[in-house]
Amino acid sequence: MSIPLADLVTILPECLVVLAACVLFVLDPVMPASKKDFLAWMCVGTLVVCFFITAAGMGEKTFAFSNLVVVDSYASFWKLLLYVVSGMTILLSIGYLKEERIDLAEFYGFIMLSLTGMMIMVSGSDLLVIYLGIELMSISLYIMCGFKRFEAKSIEASAKYFILGAFSSGLLLYGISLIFGAAGSTQLVEIAAAVNARGLDDPLVLIAMMLIIVGFAFKVAAVPFHMWTPDVYQGAPTTVTAFMAVASKAASFAAFLRVLLEGFGGVKPNWSGLILGMCILTLILGNIVAIVQTNIKRMLAYSSIAHAGYALIGVVVAGWMGTGAGVASAGVSSIMLYLAIYSFMTMGAFAMVAILRRGGLEGEELDDFTGLAKRHKGAAFLMMLFMISLAGIPPTAGFIGKFYLFMAAVNAGLTWLAVVGLVFAAVSAFYYLRVVMVMYMREPSSEQELETRLALSPTAMVVLAFAVAGVVFLGVYPGPLVSIATSSALPLP
Amino acid sequence: MDVPVEYYLALSGLVFLIGLVGVLVRRNIIIILLSIELMLNATNINFVAFSSYLGNLAGQVFVFFALTVAAAEVAVGLAIIIALYRHHESINVDDFSLLKW
Amino acid sequence: MAVLINGFLGHKYSHDLAGRIAFGSVGLSFLCALTVFMGVMADPTPREVIAYSWIFGGDLHVNLGFLIDPLSAVMLMVVTGVGFLIHVYSVGYMHGEEGFTRFFVYMNLFMVSMLLLVMGNNYLVLFIGWEGVGLCSYLLIGYYFHKVSAAKAATKAFVVNRIGDAGFLLAIFLMFVNFKTLDYTKALANVGQLSTEMATAIALCLLVGAIGKSAQIPLYTWLPDAMEGPTPVSALIHAATMVTAGVYMVVRNHVLFDMAPVAMATVGIIGGLTALFAATIGLVQNDIKRVLAYSTVSQLGYMFLACGVGAYTAAIFHLVTHAFFKALLFLSAGAVIHSLNGEQDIRKMGGLSKKIPITYKVFLIGTLAIAGIPPLAGFWSKDEIMAHAFVNHYYVLYLFAAIGAFLTSFYMFRLTYLTFYGQSRVDPEVDKHIHESPPMMTVPLMVLAGLAILGGFMGVPPEHGWLHGFLASVATPLGAVPHEVSMGTLMGLMAVAISIALGGWGLAHYMYSVKPGMADEWSERYAGAYRTFLNKYWVDELYDAIIVEPCKRLGQIWDWFDQNVIDRFIRGIGHGADASGAGITWTEKHVIYAGLNVVGYANHLLAWSWRKLQTGMVHHYAAVIVIGLFILVHFLFVWLLGTSVL
């Protein structure tokens, strides 16, 4: 038995990323400590190569490994996004890990493995493959969360994430086993056939669908399956938090959408109704609870929950009764657009938090931002930019993302949902601008006045530059991204 | 004599529920971990049962993957628990609430 | 044209230390605007300039483009002209203040946004400018960030504005769904296809946006608080330009409003009520800037009233004259404050007319203009609005406007008398240092005074003035029957208006000059009304009570729930589990039962997932996941089978 070469070529980027991770794990013990940065750069280099490979293959649709894996433009879009985000995380980590004195090159290896998991998730066309991807991603993330192993909070975050993550994937796997019983296969195509034939009257299909939805809802942190998010985000090292908030969320959404649309496309009205409920709860809870947070990482955690809520609007649109294929695929592409934009601004915000780390103390309480404008003009300005973008105020990219989502909702006849989203977007301005207010409108304490050091490494500057460019450029000239997202949206039946 | 597939389903459902309830009510983190394993094994029962019922080998392949993943998960989980124990001198989940609200 | 756009965008780069480039660039753009304006005068057909294709994909296609027609040309002139004068003034006013550069950066950012707002050729560009000016206003109100009140006012302004913006954005969505385009020209050309209901819905959504931005009832409370910002900011943003954006938008979309009589009526009523309501509050305020702020709210009410009765040209006319005289008033108030070393309380002024004669004279001109004393600017525009209300048979609105005009005249002269006449009540310490402002400040004042005097003549004779001809192509109500009003009626109305203005003046003169004790006497006699006015009808308190407090209360309830109900519940489970080990105990049954019998526990779930199940304990989180799962299943069953499975 041999594996056809064509199949391997199809998953070339995945292979390269795994290879890089393996090389890294092998080289890590033998490299002198001073040369560890080299390993990080090797990973970044790999990502750049993968980026070009994926970008070059964009637009084709290839199946591999007897239809277990599919590489279509939808998967490629997400992969490109994931490369960028992972690259930014690695660059940010180079300085951050030194600052935290957890300067272990393994860290980059785990990022690469986690990325592999995500890549498998977004291009899996079989629940088995998607499940493996989820687990690879999650297990790497569990470890990364506890990377500051001398700090109780970090380990605790890791343990919580682990228990709840394993629990939720237990639910997901049980759902998969039931759908296997109903469809006789775990291929999304055959699941779709079975779902069409049997409908939800079959309790197997029904319970399976529920469990699968819960499993994914946990990964994207939708209410009421969000409880882990703030705790884990707060405890994990900041760069890991950024990676989780952006990459794992994006990959989970990608897989979620594919499973729902390709696997359960036959019962759209049913799941879109349920997701509508989750979406509204998520919007309400994420935005309201964020208001009272005093820890900036927790605040951003709730904000990421709220953003998941916005993205869920797109999921609802994609499955809403009576919407034409055009509108439904606009729902999908608006999620893609939204999460791409969200990645840049959230990465930027977390990068700022990572940079503000002050000797020994985390710069993550809101008070640490007091009078930042006095101390570091540029830093405060960038943070303001990210906050404004997160709040969705034009001309930043955040506005474009929200605009498309709400527009999709209105087109689908869900005007009231757009109104709910708008209202909560207005509410969100309150807590984002509180950060701005603290930075610009309060005097720093004398102690803070003295503290002038920023943990700003050159690579972190690159990350910030990327994030700013994303936020501003995509806000002023979103055209290209929009057309890519539109053309690579999942083809709908 | 054939045992109907429903019986296996009932068994797996029961095991799954026991695992689920275990996660909810037990305080010892190792037992929680084992309860999660129960949930995963309930899944495996399902897969094997369906596989033989439908005459489809894919289910058994899935079981192998699930077992591997579960093993990896437990390995990482136990490592995390050890690290946790070093900090808290306890494996009772009630003691781990530094991160809240 | 491209040069023009570059000129405008050039502001963004004017992070110059001295601020000279700042006002230089505004001056330049004023010159550009002047050229454009001349061009439009020569040829009033609308012209569109498309900078680049901004958003495309799907059926949405939006250009970043500009539309120059008479309406935007007039707005351009006002924005750049008044903006230029205020910039010049600011250089003098802000001299020596900390963050001088920051101030001008924000001001220029504001100008850019404002120009985008008035020049955009589609709703999205308008919206960008709309949000941009809101943001700059936020930054500028909070300019004195060491003042807590300033920071609070800034946040309040922004959040209130966001409420309005949400309405506006919704209108944009509805518009797109109906027209498949966001360009003014294409969208407004197709308005005829809309059903009246849809037109009303869109118009009302737009109105919500306009109300928020232009500080009308019920969203006006932010504007008086916004006076915490530096005075030039109040003049530029909160008097002359930004707050009039709402009026501009209504006029821009007048075709839509013409189709929706209900929305029109709403505009008129809101405008009339605001005009009257804000004027009554203005009567008794003691902070010089707050009086002016309420007068701004009230004057904006007039503009809305004008829109509501279909007198769009009159609305724009009043907008222009108001920009002149209100900027004048604010700036000269700023000069007063400047010379009194930051004092804003009119009870601590008085007798200033000798000490700062130039400021006094220009302030008086402003007062005469706003009070509607002919032949100054305010008279013509206000009279035209009132005449329109009258001849179109909106007698109630006319009454509101007339009373409002009387009150306006009264409180403005009250302000003048208390500030400039009578005995000096100035703190002796400050008194020694009173000085006239530097020419950098007085020259713009004098220019504005000239405009306040002469500005009215562009609308003379009424109905057939130069401005009316200029705006005819863009601001004529749809399907309006041009009814000739006899000169006699107009003259009569004018006479009424003049007597109202003079009456207010007279009363103020009597109360504050002839018999100075009388005001206090009255305030005691009508203590109830006085206190109501002084406390602004307790609207702020009302909003606090019905919106802010309940939110806090809800938070407290959540806390309580967490500490009592949830905690006890969880502890109960814990005890049960401890007591019985692994065996199935009552509590465990209870847990399973809780999972299954979701309906009974829906209340618990609400409390749980609401805020603080965030106990930090893993199994609680897992429980929430399970309960969430059961709820989902349950809902699906109910949905599918029509019955509850439980």
Side-chain angles (χ1 to χ4, degrees), chain A residues 128 132 135 139 149-150 152 155-156 158-160 162-163 171 173-174 177-178 180-181 184 186 231 289 292 298, chain B residues 12-13 16 29 33 43 46 50 54 56 59 62 65 69 73 76-77 80 83-84 87 96-101:
Chain A
L128 170 63
L132 289 179
E135 285 300 311
I139 293 176
R149 61 188 185 291
F150 41 82
I155 290 289
E156 202 176 300
S158 171
K160 274 183 187 168
F162 168 70
I163 291 175
L171 295 178
L173 193 60
Y174 200 74
S177 75
L178 293 179
F180 172 72
T186 46
D231 289 9
V289 180
V292 292
R298 270 189 107 76
Chain B
S12 98
F16 187 78
I29 201 164
L33 194 58
T43 312
N46 262 354
F50 281 128
L54 300 166
N56 183 341
F62 211 127
F65 280 107
V69 168
E73 218 163 43
V76 170
I80 291 173
L84 197 59
H87 279 286
F96 312 137
S97 50
L98 283 178
L99 301 161
K100 60 178 176 185
W101 188 227

Side-chain angles (χ1 to χ4, degrees), chain C residues 100-128:
Chain C
F100 188 74
T101 317
R102 186 160 56 99
F103 178 80
F104 280 101
V105 171
Y106 293 162
M107 287 286 263
N108 277 344
L109 202 58
F110 171 80
M111 291 299 285
V112 174
S113 313
M114 193 68 207
L115 291 173
L116 271 181
L117 198 160
V118 298
M119 284 172 52
N121 76 336
N122 62 59
Y123 289 99
L124 216 52
V125 176
L126 172 64
F127 186 74
I128 302 273

Side-chain angles (χ1 to χ4, degrees), chain A residues 399-400 403-404 474-479 482, chain C residues 52-57 60-64 124:
Chain A
F399 168 71
I400 304 289
F403 183 81
Y404 266 91
L474 295 179
V476 178
Y477 192 61
V482 173
Chain C
Y52 65 92
S53 182
W54 182 38
I55 294 179
F56 48 86
L60 178 65
H61 191 101
V62 179
N63 292 316
L64 189 69
L124 216 52

Side-chain angles (χ1 to χ4, degrees), chain A residues 5 68 71 93 137 156 178 203 208 277 293 298 316 319 325 332 344 392 399 417 426-427 443 450 481 485-486:
Chain A
L5 189 63
L68 288 181
V71 178
S93 301
M137 170 186 90
E156 202 176 300
L178 293 179
Q293 298 301 325
R298 270 189 107 76
V316 175
V332 177
F344 283 103
F399 168 71
L417 186 59
V427 169
E443 291 293 325
L450 294 173
L481 184 68
T486 314

